[in-house]
Amino acid sequence: AYSCMRVHNGSNSEAPEPHPIGRHIMTISKARIVIACAATLALPLAACADPQAAPTGAATTSAPGATPSSVPAYDVSDIPTVDEIAALVPTDVKARGTLRNGASADYAPAEFLGDDSQTAQGYDVDITRALAKVMGLSEGTTTHAEFPTIIPALGTKFDVGISSFTITSEREQQANLVSYVEVGSAFGVAKGNPKNFDPTNPCGKTIGLQTGTAQEDYARELSEKCVAAGQDKITIMPHDLQTDITTKVIGGQYDATFADSTVIGYTASVSGGQIEQVGDVIESAPQGVAINKDDAQLTAAVQQAMQYLMDGGYLADILARYGAQDAALTSAQLNPATNE
């Protein structure tokens, strides 16, 4: 149960509502749930990114600077192992010595493939390694997986899913979720907004979105409202990779893209300003580390390790390397949506 949209601009003031179609939008990152309230509309939507294969094209694009750039791995050597937390780690994980993370590596700056098109990078990748260090494990690894397959593989193929999972009560029925960041959503356009895209009235516009995300679901519902209001439908262009969308926006084929605010901000940076945010960041929501619902022992270890990273400033340091330090939370809560 969420309220309608308030822009996230450093205050809790209500945003102006200049257009009946674009009013009262609440979008919550790659978990990806949206609640839109247009007139009497109140539609909770949830979806997941669904790349069909490992994103081998993630580091190939014709748009200069649009490709995520390799970032050196965060140095976790100075992060101490906490014995009391290490004692909580399940025997099989401890014996393996590795914390195995599954992530859909197509969502910079949280998780993406580096210059070699093979090595997973991003703040979620660094956080996995930092958690492993606190838990007394030799390493934390991140393997690309199609987004919808990650939670079902927890406890078998993966120990954790750290892949921009927005925390919802529905998702908490599938896995335990430990909060660590809070992220909003935003529209991105080509430099100078040459298509005159108005985020409060996207009717008749062409918007590039990642396949299977809640942003895609929201756009389809909003397009229906446009038509019902006598306006042109939204042309929705889904892609598996955000980099492909960026190329289309820069090239003028699409009017805008819609994604996590961190994604838009990072894309603006690596594109050399060829992509820029338009409009406010829409109200944010927490994202969490997913752990098998039946693994109370690993859940406790991850929650305490994440709190340690928060308290020691390590989480903020990791996020700062990707320009996302403001997303850091200070309390690692377990299943906060259920507890609201």
Side-chain angles (χ1 to χ4, degrees):
Y2 294 96
S3 61
C4 291
M5 182 272 283
R6 292 196 303 270
V7 296
H8 182 66
N9 59 3
S11 70
N12 290 325
S13 59
E14 294 292 334
E17 301 174 358
H19 192 277
I21 295 297
R23 61 187 289 193
H24 289 158
I25 302 167
M26 180 180 185
T27 305
I28 309 175
S29 66
K30 186 186 177 182
R32 286 134 160 154
I33 187 169
V34 175
I35 295 178
C37 302
T40 59
L41 175 65
L43 295 171
L45 305 173
C48 303
D50 186 16
Q52 298 302 310
T56 54
T60 60
T61 174
S62 59
T67 301
S69 301
S70 288
V71 177
Y74 184 81
D75 184 5
V76 300
S77 62
D78 290 335
I79 300 177
T81 291
V82 180
D83 292 340
E84 308 87 76
I85 297 175
L88 297 172
V89 177
T91 302
D92 59 333
V93 178
K94 190 177 299 184
R96 190 191 318 120
T98 302
L99 184 67
R100 304 168 303 172
N101 175 41
S104 180
D106 57 5
Y107 215 62
E111 48 268 334
F112 61 96
L113 297 182
D115 292 340
D116 62 2
S117 300
Q118 296 180 0
T119 304
Q121 300 184 353
Y123 60 73
D124 281 345
V125 177
D126 288 341
I127 289 169
T128 300
R129 296 170 54 251
L131 287 171
K133 187 67 161 55
V134 175
M135 295 163 64
L137 302 173
S138 59
E139 61 177 346
T141 62
T142 296
T143 302
H144 170 79
E146 296 179 11
F147 194 78
T149 70
I150 297 172
I151 286 180
L154 294 175
T156 53
K157 184 177 181 180
F158 304 123
D159 302 308
V160 294
I162 310 180
S163 186
S164 303
F165 283 105
T166 292
I167 298 176
T168 67
S169 56
E170 293 82 6
R171 181 156 282 122
E172 288 177 355
Q173 296 174 18
Q174 304 169 355
N176 285 329
L177 288 159
V178 174
S179 62
Y180 66 106
V181 293
E182 186 162 323
V183 178
S185 293
F187 286 100
V189 297
K191 183 179 180 179
N193 196 8
K195 300 283 190 174
N196 296 316
F197 179 79
D198 180 357
T200 68
N201 179 18
C203 300
K205 300 298 185 179
T206 300
I207 301 176
L209 302 162
Q210 277 203 305
T211 302
T213 59
Q215 285 92 341
E216 181 182 9
D217 288 340
Y218 160 71
R220 295 192 188 283
E221 296 290 344
L222 186 55
S223 182
E224 293 177 5
K225 300 303 294 183
C226 289
V227 173
Q231 300 192 54
D232 292 335
K233 71 176 183 179
I234 298 171
T235 300
I236 299 162
M237 305 300 293
H239 289 263
D240 287 342
L241 304 177
Q242 186 67 30
T243 45
D244 292 343
I245 301 168
T246 297
T247 301
K248 301 289 189 181
V249 174
I250 292 174
Q253 292 157 282
Y254 298 166
D255 297 299
T257 181
F258 190 40
D260 282 2
S261 56
T262 51
V263 172
I264 298 300
Y266 187 80
T267 302
S269 176
V270 299
S271 69
Q274 295 182 81
I275 288 287
E276 60 185 41
Q277 180 182 318
V278 62
D280 294 299
V281 174
I282 296 171
E283 187 172 358
S284 59
Q287 296 177 353
V289 179
I291 309 110
N292 185 283
K293 193 72 174 174
D294 297 324
D295 198 337
Q297 194 173 349
L298 182 59
T299 297
V302 169
Q303 183 180 15
Q304 292 191 31
M306 184 64 76
Q307 188 63 57
Y308 185 86
L309 294 178
M310 291 175 176
D311 294 343
Y314 300 109
L315 177 62
D317 284 347
I318 291 171
L319 294 170
R321 301 170 78 247
Y322 302 89
Q325 62 271 19
D326 291 342
L329 293 176
T330 58
S331 178
Q333 299 183 47
L334 174 60
N335 298 331
T338 300
N339 297 328
E340 287 180 351

